[in-house]
Amino acid sequence: MSKNPKLWAIIAILIAIISVQLGATLSKHVFPLVGSEGTTALRQFFATVSLLIVFQPWRNGPERKHWPVLALYGAILGVMNLVFYASIARIPLGIAVALEFSGPLAVAIFGSRRWSDFIWVACAVGGLLILIPWQGLGGDGAGALDPLGVIYALIAGVLWGLYIIVGQKVGDRVHGGKAVALGMAFSTLFTVPIGVAFAGASLLSPVILLYGVGIGILASAIPYALEMVALKAMPAKTFGLMMSLEPAAAALFGLVLLHELLTPLQWLAVALVIIASAGSSLTAKRGSNDATA
């Protein structure tokens, strides 16, 4: 890896993106069995176990004064995953991810004062306006979206933006790996009780637990670990540019693995969000911080 760290960082990001979308597609197969709430609980619990084993935050852990911000970080992470999974239970994966990207896009653009950012704002707003189901509070036509699913995705976007802001504060005080592991552990305090309340004893089914292990590792543990590796070897601008591929990957995985067909206009909306994300990353000020969910 030392011979070409940037190349390995790019490969790590691509694997992380693929892993996240595989985890999301696997999750959608579990929704009929334990609901989006139960699936979220499984994801957070097994991701927490994996990350605690890897990073062992109890060794040289954070000072007591940092626990409140870690708890806030975990709460945001937990609720964000709950509403995002509620979203993809109702609308196609690619569209949900595109809508969710409104959060980090807003953080990136509001933190800049460049005139060129108005172009990316226009692209993002254009994409969002196309995806919002103005006509149908649930219409039955081709490409009709569940309004509640859209609302959940937008809420997840707001929470993702907050996650980035709070995550940067956490990262200044606690080592990245330990922060993610502890934040994930705090998130289970919110997600697991809700998942148990909705799904009950069905969460203890061996098949469901096996699904949970796969979802937790694919959707959280692998991506978080690889993204931290990548961030050490590439500029934040390049990292943000690579992450712009995520809505496209989500749409493609949704199409191929979940048979979620998007209309041409919806594909255009996803493309506009990708352009906005990539453009804001390319024109970001050098030295600006990025964070991902």
Side-chain angles (χ1 to χ4, degrees):
M1 182 176 291
S2 59
K3 293 182 179 180
N4 197 339
K6 289 184 178 179
L7 175 61
W8 282 107
I10 290 172
I11 292 172
I13 286 294
L14 291 175
I15 294 173
I17 291 172
I18 292 170
S19 184
V20 166
Q21 302 314 323
L22 282 174
T25 55
L26 186 61
S27 298
K28 294 197 75 163
H29 289 294
V30 182
F31 289 164
L33 304 175
V34 293
S36 62
E37 300 86 359
T39 308
T40 305
L42 289 169
R43 170 186 174 174
Q44 299 300 97
F45 177 79
F46 286 108
T48 297
V49 172
S50 302
L51 291 169
L52 289 176
I53 291 172
V54 171
F55 294 109
Q56 302 180 6
W58 53 85
R59 294 184 177 180
N60 300 317
E63 298 177 31
R64 183 174 298 179
K65 64 182 180 180
H66 299 320
W67 285 99
V69 72
L70 275 167
L72 176 62
Y73 175 70
I76 293 171
L77 177 61
V79 179
M80 179 180 71
N81 280 291
L82 278 169
V83 294
F84 178 70
Y85 269 29
S87 172
I88 64 173
R90 293 167 173 82
I91 63 176
L93 177 61
I95 291 177
V97 172
L99 289 168
E100 190 192 25
F101 254 66
S102 60
L105 268 174
V107 171
I109 291 171
F110 290 153
S112 177
R113 296 293 182 269
R114 296 173 181 265
W115 282 101
S116 59
D117 286 331
F118 285 105
I119 299 173
W120 317 131
V121 170
C123 288
V125 170
L128 295 178
L129 289 177
I130 290 172
L131 292 176
I132 292 174
W134 302 103
Q135 302 292 327
L137 298 171
D140 297 323
L145 298 176
D146 182 333
L148 190 57
V150 171
I151 291 170
Y152 280 140
L154 291 173
I155 293 173
V158 173
L159 290 167
W160 194 355
L162 291 173
Y163 170 87
I164 290 171
I165 294 169
V166 176
Q168 288 172 344
K169 293 181 179 180
V170 170
D172 292 338
R173 305 170 189 179
V174 184
H175 178 269
K178 295 182 187 295
V180 172
L182 290 171
M184 189 70 75
F186 274 114
S187 79
T188 61
L189 300 179
F190 295 88
T191 55
V192 170
I194 293 173
V196 170
F198 276 88
S202 58
L203 289 173
L204 298 178
S205 161
V207 174
I208 296 299
L209 289 174
L210 188 60
Y211 270 117
V213 172
I215 293 168
I217 292 174
L218 287 171
S220 295
I222 289 176
Y224 286 137
L226 290 177
E227 286 168 12
M228 280 187 289
V229 170
L231 274 169
K232 292 179 181 178
M234 66 167 55
K237 180 184 293 187
T238 307
F239 180 84
L241 184 62
M242 293 290 298
M243 293 304 294
S244 303
L245 297 172
E246 198 155 324
L252 289 173
F253 273 75
L255 175 64
V256 175
L257 298 181
L258 299 171
H259 309 295
E260 295 177 338
L261 301 177
L262 305 188
T263 66
L265 201 58
Q266 289 170 343
W267 278 108
L268 173 62
V270 172
L272 286 172
V273 172
I274 293 169
I275 291 169
S277 181
S280 66
S281 296
L282 284 171
T283 58
K285 292 181 180 179
R286 185 171 298 177
S288 62
N289 293 325
D290 289 289
T292 60

